[in-house]
Amino acid sequence: MDLQLYLQEKRNYINSVLDKILPPETTYPESIHKAMRYSVFAGGKRLRPILTIAAAEACGGSADNVIEAACALELIHTYTLIHDDLPAMDDDDYRRGKLTCHKVFGEAIAILAGDALLTYAFQILARASLENKVNNNINLENILYIAKSVGSQGLIGGQVVDLESENKSLNEDILNYIHKNKTAALFKAAIKTGGVVAGANEEMLAALDDYAQFYGLAFQITDDILDIEGDSKEIGKSVGSDEKNNKLTYPSLYGIEKSKTMAEDNINKAIESLAIFGTKAEALCEIAKYTLKRTS
Ligand code: GRG
């Protein structure tokens, strides 16, 4: 398959649905809707919603069945980026190649834009049941799973431990906790959502769970490596911030060469997890391989 074409097609589809579901900039109060749209459409690879679609396809579903849930996950992801960039957290001026939300709209509106995107994501997920787009019980279970994944025992927990680990001595358990929660939890929720909405059975969901765990970890390791070896223009944000902030990362704990081997091992394991899907998981497989080559 032509992975770049696949990614571009899915990105276009996701962007068109995001545009349709988000309130227009002219909706009162305009400032918050402008800020929400600014950050959502500032760029971004759309990896999480693409993975939702690819997981659904692996389980025999289609992009149309899962598109709104996929977009909800991108809204949650964008909220985390807006809040992560705030002065109280990483204090970054650039994200996705553009000024960060708080630099353009001020801190208060940036905080609220993040809050609004998170809330809106759950509105979209709940609405799918009322409009009979998804089986109610399955949808409710999935909403519960997503809420847990991004809460204080998931993504937010990972962010808290990450912030608290700055300037502390390095420890493998802490590093694994941070990335299992800060990065892998949302990938897992995105991938599981695709499977659940497509009606996957237990065996399929377990395989997707394994894939997501290995993929999420490999993605984070490559992210840490890009913060050292990457090009800030391509990545769309400043590099070297982990070292500057004395962050606990895979390269700081294991060195860059071992980190590269670890990323490769995790991608191989992610691909092995897909065996039961056969050729239907081609997109998931190619996306995993591409992680090792990514430059942004
Ligand atoms: C503020 C609750 C809260 C959480 C913040 C997302 C996050 C947690 C921090 C951002 C810093 C970081 C390196 C997080 C790990 C996840 C990650 C690599 C995010 C960037 O994802 P990409 O590369 O971004 O998919 P795009 O812009 O392409 O969507």
Side-chain angles (χ1 to χ4, degrees):
M1 76 179 288
D2 182 340
L3 179 68
Q4 291 311 319
L5 185 65
Y6 178 90
L7 295 176
Q8 195 51 53
E9 277 175 9
K10 300 300 178 235
R11 231 173 257 143
N12 292 344
Y13 186 27
I14 290 158
N15 287 339
S16 71
V17 175
L18 282 170
D19 188 35
K20 209 171 70 189
I21 61 179
L22 277 170
E25 283 193 2
T26 49
T27 309
Y28 186 78
E30 290 91 346
S31 52
I32 187 78
H33 299 113
K34 276 190 185 143
M36 288 159 77
R37 281 185 165 263
Y38 173 82
S39 288
V40 170
F41 294 111
K45 298 181 283 297
R46 308 297 192 221
L47 266 178
R48 290 144 194 88
I50 290 173
L51 284 163
T52 304
I53 294 171
E57 289 170 348
C59 300
S62 73
D64 294 339
N65 299 136
V66 296
I67 187 67
E68 293 207 346
C71 287
L73 285 149
E74 183 67 15
L75 299 182
I76 296 174
H77 171 56
T78 308
Y79 126 73
T80 69
L81 300 181
I82 295 174
H83 281 196
D84 186 65
D85 292 333
L86 287 166
M89 295 209 210
D90 267 9
D91 194 10
D92 279 313
D93 292 352
Y94 287 92
R95 168 73 67 180
R96 294 175 162 175
K98 291 190 157 190
L99 281 172
T100 42
C101 193
H102 66 273
K103 283 273 155 195
V104 178
F105 297 93
E107 255 184 82
I109 291 294
I111 292 169
L112 293 167
D115 294 341
L117 289 171
L118 174 63
T119 315
Y120 200 60
F122 284 96
Q123 186 175 329
I124 300 292
L125 290 165
R127 200 176 65 187
S129 283
L130 289 179
E131 292 177 354
N132 289 327
K133 288 188 182 156
V134 196
N135 171 299
N136 278 349
N137 275 347
I138 289 179
N139 197 38
L140 204 56
E141 241 179 77
N142 197 44
I143 291 174
L144 181 65
Y145 183 83
I146 295 173
K148 279 188 181 166
S149 304
V150 301
S152 60
Q153 292 175 77
L155 196 150
I156 291 178
Q159 177 78 348
V160 169
V161 178
D162 189 19
L163 289 171
E164 290 176 350
S165 77
E166 280 176 25
N167 303 314
K168 294 237 176 85
S169 58
L170 310 182
N171 171 322
E172 188 175 6
D173 289 342
I174 294 179
L175 186 66
N176 286 334
Y177 177 88
I178 292 171
H179 297 308
K180 189 169 161 245
N181 290 286
K182 194 180 85 168
T183 308
L186 191 57
F187 277 123
K188 259 180 143 176
I191 290 163
K192 183 176 166 144
T193 294
V196 165
V197 177
N201 62 29
E202 289 301 318
E203 192 193 6
M204 288 169 164
L205 289 177
L208 288 179
D209 204 61
D210 287 344
Y211 169 85
Q213 189 67 43
F214 293 125
Y215 174 85
L217 200 56
F219 186 87
Q220 182 59 52
I221 299 171
T222 56
D223 210 68
D224 288 353
I225 295 171
L226 280 175
D227 194 66
I228 297 170
E229 294 190 336
D231 178 323
S232 64
K233 279 210 186 78
E234 277 193 69
I235 302 172
K237 59 176 182 143
S238 52
V239 293
S241 61
D242 291 339
E243 201 185 346
K244 192 181 85 198
N245 295 328
N246 246 319
K247 279 261 165 87
L248 179 57
T249 66
Y250 285 92
S252 69
L253 192 57
Y254 299 105
I256 200 122
E257 287 315 314
K258 174 127 194 262
S259 299
K260 285 182 182 171
T261 311
M262 287 168 78
E264 271 170 38
D265 289 347
N266 277 290
I267 288 299
N268 289 337
K269 286 185 191 148
I271 293 169
E272 281 163 25
S273 314
L274 300 171
I276 62 159
F277 300 109
T279 54
K280 282 190 175 157
E282 201 183 357
L284 286 178
C285 179
E286 292 304 315
I287 293 169
K289 284 188 205 158
Y290 184 66
T291 304
L292 297 174
K293 293 188 233 149
R294 77 189 182 100
T295 52
S296 69

